[in-house]
Amino acid sequence: LGLKTKGEELLLDAALVLVKRLLANVPRMRVWNDKTKSAAHLPAFSCSPLPYVTQIAEHLFLLPDQLDPSHNEDRDSTLSPMTPLEGDDTGSAAAAFMENWLSKITGRVVTLYFNTILAIPALSPSGQIQLSTDMQYLSSILDRLGAPGLQNLQQLQVLVEAHANDFPQAAANSQLERDVIDSMSRQRTR
């Protein structure tokens, strides 16, 4: 790997430290296999996203400001950091820089979250409802930030949300890889 690639990987790792830390214990959370709550008594609208996912969202919402290279003391403080000065193309360059890095970081978050979900050993019906709530919340945040790769996370959410009787049809309609579908099937039957 070249020096530039290694540098980018280092920056991505630094930007994702908090996300990785928050996702580390997600597969072992008891909520996913909680059999004390009946899914019939737990409507989907009654769930709120769990703290791990809201903290990831808060972190992601801070990224655009952190990635804005135009924050400097040479600019007029009345201008927006992204407002280019007349004859200055740094605004568009700054926007392109921020968009590029935001795409890289959010794309990695999609992949990390997708893999974390697949690492959950078992999902009870109430765990499915909670996971669906978390996935919907984080997907909406990632979508607002223009994250690439969301379609796979959304297809996985369809499998998470499918009722037991509807899962075979949802799996047949899915464009996810067979091993992902099999993993989700095993989670639901434990």
Side-chain angles (χ1 to χ4, degrees):
L1 293 176
L3 186 58
K4 180 183 175 190
T5 305
K6 287 179 182 177
E8 285 181 0
E9 287 299 316
L10 182 63
L11 290 172
L12 280 171
D13 285 344
L16 295 169
V17 165
L18 177 65
V19 174
K20 288 177 180 179
R21 185 177 56 80
L22 290 168
L23 291 177
N25 292 320
V26 168
R28 294 183 294 281
M29 293 172 70
R30 291 182 182 166
V31 68
W32 309 132
N33 201 23
D34 186 358
K35 293 186 169 113
T36 61
K37 295 179 187 172
S38 168
H41 295 83
L42 190 65
F45 65 83
S46 71
C47 282
S48 295
L50 293 175
Y52 81 91
V53 83
T54 58
Q55 290 172 12
I56 290 171
E58 289 169 10
H59 174 68
L60 292 174
F61 272 135
L62 293 175
L63 287 175
D65 284 341
Q66 294 171 353
L67 292 171
D68 185 355
S70 65
H71 277 128
N72 63 47
E73 295 158 16
D74 296 336
R75 290 202 166 227
D76 183 342
S77 62
T78 61
L79 294 175
S80 160
M82 293 307 290
T83 305
L85 297 173
E86 192 170 329
D88 182 7
D89 69 348
T90 57
S92 60
F97 172 87
M98 183 172 52
E99 198 172 295
N100 180 40
W101 276 96
L102 195 56
S103 177
K104 288 178 183 184
I105 294 167
T106 56
R108 288 278 179 98
V109 171
V110 169
T111 301
L112 289 168
Y113 193 48
F114 187 91
N115 292 334
T116 299
I117 292 166
L118 293 179
I120 296 171
L123 279 172
S124 67
S126 64
Q128 286 174 250
I129 291 171
Q130 182 61 59
L131 182 56
S132 174
T133 300
D134 293 352
M135 292 176 78
Q136 185 174 6
Y137 180 78
L138 190 56
S139 289
S140 69
I141 302 301
L142 289 163
D143 186 42
R144 289 186 69 195
L145 293 172
L150 270 179
Q151 58 277 18
N152 285 341
L153 192 58
Q154 291 163 343
Q155 287 184 30
L156 186 62
Q157 185 174 349
V158 168
L159 296 179
V160 168
E161 292 175 348
H163 293 286
N165 296 339
D166 300 331
F167 185 82
Q169 186 61 46
N173 293 339
S174 180
Q175 295 177 359
L176 293 170
E177 293 181 20
R178 188 79 229 161
D179 61 326
V180 171
I181 295 168
D182 292 345
S183 176
M184 185 56 57
S185 178
R186 283 189 300 273
Q187 286 177 341
R188 296 166 55 97
T189 57
R190 290 185 179 161

